[in-house]
Amino acid sequence: MNKIIQKRVNGLKGEITIPSDKSISHRSIMFSSLAKGRSVIHNFSNGADCRSTKKLFEQLGIEITQTGEKSYEVFSNGHFNTPISDLDCGNSGTTMRLCLGILASQNFDSVLFGDESLSKRPMKRVITPLELMGAKIESNEYKAPLHIYGRELHGIEYNSPIASAQVKSCILLAGLNATGKTTVIEPYTSRNHTELMLKYMGANITWDNNSVSIEKSSLEPKVINIAGDISSAAYFIVGALIVPNSEIIIKNVGLNPTRTGILDVVQRMGGNLEILSQEEISGELVGDIKISYSELKGCTISGEDIPRLIDELPVIALLATQAEGQTIVSNAEDLRKKESDRITTIVNGLKSLGAEIEEKEDGFIINGKTELLGDKTLEVFHDHRLAMTYYTAGLICKKDIMINGFEWINISFPEFEELFNNL
């Protein structure tokens, strides 16, 4: 689907409630399916990725009943049925990588597969530690489809070469049903939704700095209220910062410190951003944010910043085009292994609009402030975050832009355009 985006001349104003956090939504279904009894989930994400997770666990015999627009009850006896067909992960890397950890220790064999895009994404980062735990997994050169031969696993201490919540979560979920203790040590702390929810549901899990350990545990069914997704809020944060005469309030945003790197970057750039309120809900910090148009300055983003804003880097690149001076993003080579090579694609896309941006092996360098000219058709390469970034860019481009493949936003954020139209 092609989408034409026009410059927003009157600013963005008003209040929105951001949709459900995708990462937490995935885990709410997975962990409730592992618990024995009835769990209740409120504010579940409507994105296609999270629906893939829900459908997969229904294939494993879990009863999931919708009780409201975004509310579900999950009934589980703590065990899965042997799947009668291969398990479809759609476009969701989170579904595939985390379920690999869950399925590796089951008493049955299974196959995980995905769409064309997911089938190109690397799985060696999760297969390798699982094999160290005793798992048997056959793959297509470490890509899907993944043939899993369920067997008993044993705990390990794993020094992860990258800070990745998906890698960490996969290993911890395997450790949940393994003998002995399983420990994951990261170079930096990645997002910790898995740790918080497992703790909330009674797992024997502990963490300290960059290390987290788990022992074999049974999970308790719980009521899980899901916060708004800060990765989804990022486009509205950036939009309000770069569209003149804007002032908005975003409600119910997840403020987990392992996810708020974009807020730190905005403050580093001199952006007008205020946290109005915050509270803890189902183990997660949630609050409201006020943002308004700002004169920005460039900054450096690297090291321990990266795991806390990896998904937001494409739209942060757009933000940097409107900041005076130079912005340097380093240590972000993992962007090349997303739905698209997000370093090359975002550099080429923004450059075509008139940005002064240079590709690096592990990131990019942006010199601002530059006027974005527009009058281009942009490809999104099956990547929802590129589609949403280009939409946000179109709000300040001198001339209209066209986005080819705009429908890919439905992977994570089907309400995206409606919320922008409401401002």
Side-chain angles (χ1 to χ4, degrees), residues 20-21 24-25 28 41-45 224-228 252 282:
S20 325
D21 187 286
I24 302 175
S25 293
S28 70
I41 301 170
H42 294 300
N43 199 33
F44 185 78
S45 170
I224 302 170
N225 291 284
I226 299 172
N252 190 44
S282 300

Side-chain angles (χ1 to χ4, degrees), residues 186-234:
E186 298 183 289
Y188 306 106
T189 303
S190 62
R191 61 182 65 174
N192 66 350
H193 301 303
T194 291
E195 295 96 301
L196 293 177
M197 191 176 293
L198 286 177
K199 187 74 171 178
Y200 177 63
M201 298 180 75
N204 184 4
I205 185 168
T206 57
W207 56 87
D208 180 38
N209 296 324
N210 302 337
S211 174
V212 55
S213 298
I214 194 167
E215 297 186 56
K216 191 167 188 174
S217 309
S218 297
L219 300 185
E220 304 166 5
K222 290 281 188 176
V223 175
I224 302 170
N225 291 284
I226 299 172
D229 195 330
I230 194 166
S231 295
S232 298

Side-chain angles (χ1 to χ4, degrees), residues 124-139:
K124 184 175 182 179
R125 58 181 58 187
V126 286
I127 292 174
T128 296
L130 290 179
E131 288 179 336
L132 293 174
M133 299 178 75
K136 183 181 179 183
I137 300 162
E138 293 180 356
S139 65

Side-chain angles (χ1 to χ4, degrees), residues 375-413:
D375 195 25
K376 295 289 181 181
T377 297
L378 300 171
E379 300 290 335
V380 305
F381 304 99
H382 299 179
D383 193 329
H384 54 126
R385 298 203 185 279
L386 285 185
M388 292 186 283
T389 296
Y390 293 151
Y391 181 100
T392 311
L395 301 178
I396 61 168
C397 283
K398 189 175 180 180
K399 294 183 178 180
D400 296 355
I401 65 171
M402 179 178 287
I403 303 173
N404 185 18
F406 188 69
E407 71 276 6
W408 282 93
I409 66 167
N410 293 321
I411 288 293
S412 63
F413 197 171

Side-chain angles (χ1 to χ4, degrees), residues 6 54 105 120 125 139 142 165 199 222 226 233 281-282 353 423:
Q6 298 179 323
K54 173 180 170 291
S105 66
K120 297 175 181 177
R125 58 181 58 187
S139 65
Y142 292 108
K199 187 74 171 178
K222 290 281 188 176
I226 299 172
I281 299 175
S282 300
L353 297 177
L423 291 173

Side-chain angles (χ1 to χ4, degrees), residues 29-36 76 78 80 102 106 173 176 219:
I29 289 287
M30 294 177 186
F31 300 177
S32 295
S33 298
L34 289 166
K36 187 175 183 179
S76 174
F80 300 131
I102 292 171
Q106 301 302 316
L173 288 169
L176 188 68
L219 300 185

